[in-house]
Amino acid sequence: MTQHADDDALDQPAGVAELRLATGEPDPAPPNDVPAQELPLDRNQAILQAAKQVGSLLKRKGHPFALAGSVAVYAHGGTQNLQHDVDFAIRPEDAEAVAETLREAGLTVYEPPEDWLLKAGCLGQQVDLIFELAHRPVGTELLERAERLSVDSVLMPVLSPTDLVHSRVAAFSEHHCDFGAVLPIARVLREKVDWDRVRRDCGDEPMSDAFFYFLERLDVIPPRPRPKEDR
């Protein structure tokens, strides 16, 4: 993590030139003698830049939100091996206002077939504005539990580790049950997660229960106390 940036440095006009959208055909590959500063960002850097730009816009306009997904895990101390997009959690009632803020800054915002999020493009990266996590609407209480953390020098609210893990585990179903994608998150955040709460909220759903057993066998979390047999 780098040092926190002064928030005054972020107070540039919303439609700054740095917000470029990928349009048209891709540019040809640069020759080998192009100066290093002109080379394109790698994917992780591009995703972080998009997260910082959108997060700064939402902060400036005072929208309630929290960073989610792989960039949130990174902010909590995970490795800089980010996934394919940037995720922000917003309340359903704020979706229209958030979309307008991003459009005013020059970003493209559109509604996908799924009715629980909006999508936007920033610096050539996909940004998901999610207002439903694990089939539950994002609420004020969830956002108030977010922690204010530095995301590559920009301070913004980030979903708590417990809520990050809960949102992944609670989403398991017979049609979507990728333990391999959630295991690294559970490993890196395990000491920061309220596992009792995650277990309690997920109940005895078979996929969630199987994942907890999987974590126990791998010594990621301690075994759940078993009730004593009646004598």
Side-chain angles (χ1 to χ4, degrees):
M1 292 283 182
T2 56
Q3 291 182 337
H4 294 173
D6 187 344
D7 278 351
D8 291 340
L10 300 174
D11 290 336
Q12 49 189 324
V16 292
E18 190 174 359
L19 291 177
R20 300 191 312 276
L21 297 179
T23 58
E25 295 296 324
D27 294 330
N32 291 334
D33 59 351
V34 172
Q37 63 269 23
E38 295 183 12
L39 293 174
L41 299 173
D42 68 27
R43 189 62 186 278
N44 284 336
Q45 289 177 312
I47 289 174
L48 283 174
Q49 281 294 104
K52 290 159 60 176
Q53 291 288 359
V54 174
S56 296
L57 288 169
L58 299 181
K59 279 174 56 180
R60 192 175 294 121
K61 289 292 186 177
H63 296 297
F65 76 96
L67 183 67
S70 61
V71 186
V73 176
Y74 166 73
H76 280 292
T79 60
Q80 190 177 346
N81 184 18
L82 308 179
Q83 297 175 355
H84 62 283
D85 57 15
V86 182
D87 297 323
F88 287 95
I90 62 174
R91 301 181 305 185
E93 60 266 32
D94 298 325
E96 185 175 345
V98 167
E100 183 61 26
T101 290
L102 299 187
R103 290 190 179 106
E104 288 176 355
L107 277 65
T108 300
V109 182
Y110 64 96
E111 298 182 15
E114 300 85 358
D115 60 0
W116 44 270
L117 81 165
L118 297 174
K119 289 183 178 289
C122 180
L123 302 176
Q125 306 305 310
Q126 179 175 295
V127 178
D128 288 349
L129 304 159
I130 302 168
F131 36 87
E132 187 175 294
L133 287 173
H135 314 295
R136 295 182 184 178
V138 173
T140 301
E141 184 179 352
L142 175 75
L143 299 183
E144 287 179 344
R145 289 197 298 267
E147 301 177 17
R148 185 174 169 85
L149 299 176
S150 174
V151 180
D152 199 33
S153 80
V154 175
L155 288 170
M156 68 179 73
V158 180
L159 281 185
S160 74
T162 299
D163 287 322
L164 277 170
V165 171
H166 175 268
S167 67
R168 298 299 185 98
V169 175
F172 287 150
S173 69
E174 294 181 1
H175 303 289
H176 177 77
C177 192
D178 187 356
F179 288 180
V182 186
L183 175 60
I185 298 173
R187 280 189 185 279
V188 74
L189 298 180
R190 59 183 172 182
E191 295 181 356
K192 302 178 179 180
V193 173
D194 182 347
W195 289 104
D196 289 337
R197 187 189 133 205
V198 176
R199 287 184 190 268
R200 182 176 64 252
D201 289 351
C202 290
D204 293 323
E205 291 295 325
M207 300 303 174
S208 301
D209 197 47
F211 185 64
F212 295 140
Y213 178 73
F214 182 54
L215 295 181
E216 290 175 5
R217 292 298 305 271
L218 293 175
D219 293 325
V220 176
I221 61 175
R224 177 167 49 185
R226 304 296 179 184
K228 294 181 180 180
E229 295 181 1
D230 293 334
R231 295 183 177 179

